[in-house]
Amino acid sequence: MNPGSQAVQSIHSLHEFEKQHKSQYEYWYKNSRTIVLLSVNSINELESFKIELELKNIFFSEFKEPDLNNSLTSLCIPYSDTVKKLCKNLPLGLSEFSRKGGSNV
């Protein structure tokens, strides 16, 4: 997915997070406002990451793009030490994807 689309999908999932986790969103907004955009290699990798979050009981919000057959395109996850460990090998979003054949989903 191109950088512009990554940004848009990320905004969608942030909005979903605000709606679904109001108190956590308000806490973040008042105390941090830090945002980190990360990339994955494919929609399948994003789906696998979502499953890993669920198995570890980490709350998040997701966005599924109607224009892409309701495919999962973005997750919004609040920061924690556990999340930091899970995400440590993911490349930054909005940049050229370093893995060969990557799609920047």
Side-chain angles (χ1 to χ4, degrees):
M1 187 173 287
N2 68 52
S5 294
Q6 285 183 58
V8 169
Q9 298 307 308
S10 297
I11 292 166
H12 283 311
S13 64
L14 177 61
H15 181 67
E16 289 300 317
F17 190 89
E18 179 186 12
K19 288 182 356 186
Q20 295 171 1
H21 307 287
K22 192 76 169 163
S23 63
Q24 291 89 349
Y25 176 85
E26 289 173 0
Y27 179 84
W28 165 80
Y29 190 80
K30 289 177 186 174
N31 296 290
S32 171
R33 296 190 197 172
T34 298
I35 295 175
V36 178
L37 236 56
L38 302 172
S39 263
V40 293
N41 193 33
S42 66
I43 290 174
N44 288 338
E45 190 175 330
L46 187 59
E47 291 279 1
S48 295
F49 191 74
K50 175 186 164 184
I51 291 168
E52 189 171 0
L53 293 171
E54 291 170 337
L55 291 172
K56 295 184 182 300
N57 294 315
I58 297 170
F59 68 95
F60 61 91
S61 291
E62 63 183 53
F63 183 75
K64 295 184 177 184
E65 177 55 60
D67 294 336
L68 297 173
N69 297 321
N70 288 317
S71 295
L72 178 64
T73 56
S74 183
L75 300 173
C76 182
I77 313 160
Y79 177 83
S80 71
D81 288 337
T82 303
V83 169
K84 182 179 178 180
K85 289 176 188 174
L86 289 174
C87 295
K88 70 180 179 182
N89 294 319
L90 295 177
L92 289 175
L94 304 181
S95 61
E96 181 117 4
F97 202 75
S98 60
R99 291 187 235 177
K100 189 173 184 169
S103 63
N104 268 356
V105 173

